[in-house]
Amino acid sequence: MKVWGELQPSHESDQILLQSYLKEANIRQLSFHPEWLKLLHYKHKKNNTYQSQVKGSLFFFSKEGANNPTKELEATLRSFFLKDTIPEGQMHPICSFPARYNFMKRMFGVNFLENNVIRCERFEQWKKSLDVDSVSIVFASYYLMAPASVFGHTMVKFNQKSNSENDSEILDYTVNVAADVPETDPFRYAYHGLLGGYKARFTLFPYYLKVNEYNDLESRDLWEYRLALSEIEIELLVSHLWELSRAEFDYYFLNANCGTFLVEWMDVVKPELGLKSKLGGVVSPVDTIKIYSNSGGLVESRKYRPSLYSEIKLLIQEMEPEEKKIFWKIINDSPNQLLNFTFLEKGGNNLRSHLILDAYTFTYRYQRSKSPNITEIHTNNYKKALEIRSQFPNLIEPILIKDNQTPPELSHPKSRVSLGGGSSNFGNFLEWKYRFAYHDLLNQSKGSPPNSELVFFDGVIRNYEGKRLEFTSFTFVRLVSLSPYNAISKHWSYLLDFGIQTTLIKNRQNVWLGEGSVTNENRWQRKQVPNVDVAVGWTFSDEFSKTKDRWGTISFLLGFKSQFHPQWDFGGRFGPNVQSIYQKELGNWKLLGGIQFQHYWNQKPENHLLSTFGLRYLWNDVTEIRLEMKQEPVYQEVSGSFHYLF
């Protein structure tokens, strides 16, 4: 490619024509044309310099192309004059970069394909196989069981008209952008994901593979947003994808991920919307969905594709008590004994047998995807259930297409500031909080992963009366997943918290003073200490009732806590704990309570009992009011705060 970028045409007429085009490009400053800069993914830097975000030499014709738009435009233009025989396995530069070619064709009014008698058969055949009629952005909901998926994921779906008419959209193709991650441990994965080290690439997959991966295996809901793109814009999008197969990008979790790469791709075909300019310094995939949805007229329609587990929940929620009783008995008995489903045959009862049978067969598929160790008895029962189900028409479609989930673009903003104050047995205080991202258990769950926390860089500053400002706590990362445990989905719940907390340490300066001469406040010092919490357990909820979660959600966790400070013997303290968390959301209100028993092996007092209570009122989608209380052996406080999310 670099050789072709330095091409000097052999025919004099071509030499003259090339020089005239280069001169015109220079006069018109075409190398700084917005479309050219977007096609090469250049980013403007200081001192009027540019740097392409694309890594890899196969994307450039000039040796300086990665940071010189002018050199790359000149080299590209030269390569298009190539008339020599192309080596086997390679393509003419025009066929390799059809989007660049269309740009040159419009700028100079010349058709190199016809003039040079070039045929791009591989590209045309590939484009024909895609047969793109329309384009959708797909959002796969949050999956807290894998670090790479806790923020959700976005893809592009190429819709084919024939598949849409035949109700076979899973046969469409989808474009996925993901980091090329080797097998590695979670710590190196997080390090390279945050600080760099991974490369991202555009890849093309049949949509059914992604539906199977996200919808079925990982139980993630899919949201499809059809975009209002013209035929010309779709043509440009597809052509540029062909070019991007030669590109790779530096990947970062926070600001160079699947969402940002797709926005930049869309920005090539919709420059008037300025999609890329709407990206913030930190961008999650759901932020890009908000950008598409808020760009007037870009999103034509939205489609909800529930996960296999969500389908099961929808079916069970539709059942009457007697139907549920039969369903749960089948679920419990099916793995261990052969069942007789004849009582569910058509006309044999007053039950809605299709609901029970569908919920059972879906549950079998779900459990098989989670564990390959399905008993032969269980499989035989599944086959019998399918035979009985074939007697009924498909009566569940209206249930499964219910859009009763809140779309992700309606989730609350990711950052938060708050102002509050309170009273404690160590004095009154004012409090300021800032959270970089994303969601805690007291935030509204609309559009966010339910029963979960995903918190990064959450800091608290306090001012106790008569004291200096105090940096009370800082959470580097806190992940909490409290997925309900039941006979269908035996999910573990987990908690991971890493940061700095304030704790009370005995004031050694007062150890020789009499008990009567030392106040409770002087006997203890408030110290900020590094803190690590991990816990696992189970969560229980009545998630299958029609009045969803009417009793709330309760979790039981067994964990381990470590804290470090030089004033402690051995430089720190550590030990196991048990805790319970209760949460209940009702309209604009949410209640969150917890109790924890902590035992320290190497410090006294050994046992600590901590209880917390929080009540949130949602003023509107971006403001909250909270009342919180905390009770510890030697410290108690109550506080109120106002929270603004942005």
Side-chain angles (χ1 to χ4, degrees), residues 172-401:
D172 291 333
Y173 286 94
T174 183
V175 181
N176 189 56
V177 188
D180 186 8
V181 180
E183 292 294 332
T184 186
D185 61 80
F187 297 101
R188 279 187 291 179
Y189 179 80
Y191 175 83
H192 291 301
L194 290 171
L195 302 179
Y198 294 139
K199 300 296 181 185
R201 294 179 177 87
F202 283 71
T203 51
L204 194 65
F205 290 93
Y207 189 43
Y208 67 82
L209 292 179
K210 290 302 176 182
V211 170
N212 180 64
E213 177 185 354
Y214 295 133
N215 249 175
D216 297 346
L217 297 180
E218 297 182 354
S219 300
R220 299 166 69 176
D221 295 333
L222 298 178
W223 297 85
E224 302 174 11
Y225 300 82
R226 180 163 296 194
L227 305 182
L229 300 181
S230 66
E231 290 185 15
I232 295 176
E233 291 168 339
I234 292 175
E235 172 78 18
L236 176 56
L237 194 72
V238 173
S239 298
H240 191 44
L241 175 63
W242 178 263
E243 300 177 344
L244 289 172
S245 64
R246 295 162 178 79
E248 60 182 23
F249 301 81
D250 287 331
Y251 185 92
Y252 298 91
F253 287 153
L254 299 180
N255 58 4
N257 51 49
C258 60
T260 60
F261 294 135
L262 294 183
V263 165
E264 291 172 3
W265 183 27
M266 289 296 163
D267 211 35
V268 171
V269 302
K270 280 286 190 182
E272 70 276 9
L273 296 180
L275 299 175
K276 185 177 178 180
S277 65
K278 299 175 183 177
L279 296 175
V282 173
V283 184
S284 69
V286 74
D287 292 330
T288 65
I289 296 298
K290 293 179 180 181
I291 289 175
Y292 298 129
S293 300
N294 295 331
S295 298
L298 178 59
V299 175
E300 286 185 330
S301 61
R302 182 183 66 216
K303 179 180 179 180
Y304 171 58
R305 184 184 291 273
S307 68
L308 186 56
Y309 187 71
S310 293
E311 290 180 329
I312 296 169
K313 285 202 299 185
L314 288 169
L315 292 172
I316 298 175
Q317 288 169 0
E318 284 294 315
M319 294 180 188
E320 298 300 330
E322 183 62 25
E323 295 166 341
K324 285 185 180 181
K325 182 178 179 181
I326 294 172
F327 167 77
W328 289 117
K329 181 171 179 22
I330 292 174
I331 292 298
N332 292 327
D333 294 343
S334 182
N336 305 311
Q337 64 184 72
L338 290 173
L339 301 179
N340 185 353
F341 291 95
T342 55
F343 73 100
L344 291 176
E345 289 183 339
K346 190 173 183 180
N349 55 68
N350 294 322
L351 301 170
R352 290 176 296 174
S353 299
H354 63 283
L355 277 181
I356 300 172
L357 290 167
D358 279 323
Y360 168 68
T361 56
F362 286 7
T363 298
Y364 173 87
R365 286 170 48 202
Y366 174 81
Q367 293 178 335
R368 188 179 182 86
S369 70
K370 299 298 180 184
S371 173
N373 300 320
I374 296 293
T375 65
E376 185 177 351
I377 292 176
H378 200 177
T379 301
N380 289 333
N381 286 331
Y382 169 70
K383 293 177 180 178
K384 286 183 182 179
L386 288 177
E387 292 177 7
I388 302 297
R389 179 62 179 90
S390 65
Q391 301 176 13
F392 300 88
N394 186 12
L395 302 173
I396 66 166
E397 192 67 23
I399 298 173
L400 298 185
I401 64 174

Side-chain angles (χ1 to χ4, degrees), residues 34-233:
E35 185 176 341
W36 178 254
L37 296 176
K38 291 180 185 296
L39 282 173
L40 276 296
H41 297 265
Y42 285 115
K43 185 177 182 180
H44 186 263
K45 306 187 79 173
K46 61 182 180 179
N47 300 326
N48 204 31
T49 58
Y50 291 85
Q51 178 67 50
S52 176
Q53 294 175 274
V54 176
K55 309 299 177 183
S57 60
L58 293 178
F59 196 73
F60 303 99
F61 286 103
S62 169
K63 295 178 181 178
E64 303 175 48
N67 50 33
N68 193 321
T70 302
K71 293 282 189 181
E72 183 61 22
L73 186 140
E74 178 183 331
T76 302
L77 195 53
R78 285 181 178 276
S79 72
F80 287 174
F81 277 85
L82 179 66
K83 292 185 178 180
D84 297 340
T85 302
I86 305 298
E88 187 176 352
Q90 298 187 37
M91 293 181 293
H92 192 280
I94 289 177
C95 302
S96 297
F97 293 92
R100 292 194 207 182
Y101 165 66
N102 286 326
F103 171 78
M104 299 292 191
K105 181 180 177 181
R106 285 185 286 105
M107 293 299 106
F108 298 107
V110 60
N111 192 330
F112 289 98
L113 284 173
E114 292 182 1
N115 294 352
N116 298 348
V117 195
I118 300 168
R119 298 181 62 188
C120 300
E121 294 180 350
R122 285 169 57 184
F123 169 66
E124 293 298 334
Q125 185 177 359
W126 175 80
K127 185 171 65 172
K128 184 178 179 180
S129 69
L130 295 180
D131 190 24
V132 183
D133 177 65
S134 63
V135 175
S136 297
I137 296 291
V138 180
F139 177 79
S141 62
Y142 314 87
Y143 182 59
L144 273 70
M145 308 310 289
S149 304
V150 295
F151 304 110
H153 184 62
T154 52
M155 305 169 287
V156 166
K157 179 168 170 280
F158 287 153
N159 307 311
Q160 295 184 4
K161 187 175 182 181
S162 58
N163 290 337
S164 179
E165 293 173 346
N166 298 327
D167 197 25
S168 55
E169 292 183 357
I170 61 171
L171 299 179
D172 291 333
Y173 286 94
T174 183
V175 181
N176 189 56
V177 188
D180 186 8
V181 180
E183 292 294 332
T184 186
D185 61 80
F187 297 101
R188 279 187 291 179
Y189 179 80
Y191 175 83
H192 291 301
L194 290 171
L195 302 179
Y198 294 139
K199 300 296 181 185
R201 294 179 177 87
F202 283 71
T203 51
L204 194 65
F205 290 93
Y207 189 43
Y208 67 82
L209 292 179
K210 290 302 176 182
V211 170
N212 180 64
E213 177 185 354
Y214 295 133
N215 249 175
D216 297 346
L217 297 180
E218 297 182 354
S219 300
R220 299 166 69 176
D221 295 333
L222 298 178
W223 297 85
E224 302 174 11
Y225 300 82
R226 180 163 296 194
L227 305 182
L229 300 181
S230 66
E231 290 185 15
I232 295 176
E233 291 168 339

Side-chain angles (χ1 to χ4, degrees), residues 628-639:
E628 297 173 273
M629 291 181 281
K630 182 166 68 173
Q631 171 81 36
E632 295 184 73
V634 294
Y635 181 78
Q636 303 85 41
E637 72 173 37
V638 58
S639 65

